[in-house]
Amino acid sequence: MYNKEVNVNKLAHSLAVSLLIGLLIALAGCVPAAAPVAQATLAPASAASVAPAQQVTPTSLSGDASLPALQSGALFRVVKPDGSAVMFTVEDVKALPLAQYMTEGKVEEGPKLLDVLARAGVDEFSEVVISGPKSSQTLTRAQVDDQTVLDLTNRGTVKLATPAITKADWVKDVDLILVH
């Protein structure tokens, strides 16, 4: 009773299936991706460890219209609590004394963050926000020490290097240091 033979045009059938699959793929590409969820990571606690840095945003604060803009030729800027900014060029950074910080068998070398802040006229602060194009980190005053350096990169930029946070969370291509 149900053994009736059905003739199917295999070419038409495979074309229809291919079109359906293509349509589903195209529609899937139109669906907006879910927004990333911020995740905090904590370093293992030890008696000698300093509290972990607090992640500020996943992107640079440099687009904030309320902050002074980065001037042409400047590498980064230090924005002081009064809102004024001091611009630093590569030459300014190279003129500061170099410090070294050894981590994972590699030497990170550049001026101490404390020396950069002093050159900008900052003597006292409660925290600093170090920002680059892809990440920002907040360091408390207790986390900024002689091993907190702005490492000079081969690309002519600086990155934050410090034992206060894990290497994966260091800020690359620093363009803003916001002082509180």
Side-chain angles (χ1 to χ4, degrees), residues 106 108 149-151 153 157-161 170-172 174:
K106 184 174 182 294
E108 306 296 335
V149 300
L150 294 177
D151 178 47
T153 70
T157 64
V158 295
K159 73 176 179 239
L160 172 68
W170 288 356
V171 179
K172 295 173 180 66
V174 171

Side-chain angles (χ1 to χ4, degrees), residues 1-95:
M1 176 171 190
Y2 292 104
N3 292 334
K4 188 174 179 184
E5 186 174 313
V6 177
N7 289 328
V8 175
N9 182 338
K10 292 181 181 179
L11 180 61
H13 180 70
S14 65
L15 182 59
V17 170
S18 296
L19 286 173
L20 181 61
I21 291 172
L23 180 62
L24 289 173
I25 291 171
L27 287 174
C30 294
V31 177
V37 178
Q39 297 179 357
T41 57
L42 298 177
S46 72
S49 71
V50 180
Q54 175 186 17
Q55 178 117 13
V56 177
T57 64
T59 59
S60 174
L61 299 174
S62 62
D64 187 336
S66 67
L67 296 172
L70 187 63
Q71 293 176 353
S72 177
L75 185 58
F76 63 87
R77 65 207 179 277
V78 174
V79 178
K80 300 189 283 187
D82 66 4
S84 64
V86 177
M87 304 294 160
F88 282 81
T89 64
V90 172
E91 292 76 28
D92 296 330
V93 172
K94 288 181 177 179

Side-chain angles (χ1 to χ4, degrees), residues 117-118 121-125 141:
L117 295 175
V122 175
D123 297 321
E124 305 234 350
F125 62 95
R141 174 60 185 101

Side-chain angles (χ1 to χ4, degrees), residues 87-135:
M87 304 294 160
F88 282 81
T89 64
V90 172
E91 292 76 28
D92 296 330
V93 172
K94 288 181 177 179
L96 292 168
L98 293 180
Q100 293 183 342
Y101 162 58
M102 175 74 91
T103 182
E104 298 178 14
K106 184 174 182 294
V107 175
E108 306 296 335
E109 184 176 62
K112 297 177 200 174
L113 179 58
L114 291 171
D115 290 344
V116 169
L117 295 175
R119 178 65 58 93
V122 175
D123 297 321
E124 305 234 350
F125 62 95
S126 59
E127 65 183 19
V128 292
V129 179
I130 316 294
S131 183
K134 296 182 181 178
S135 65

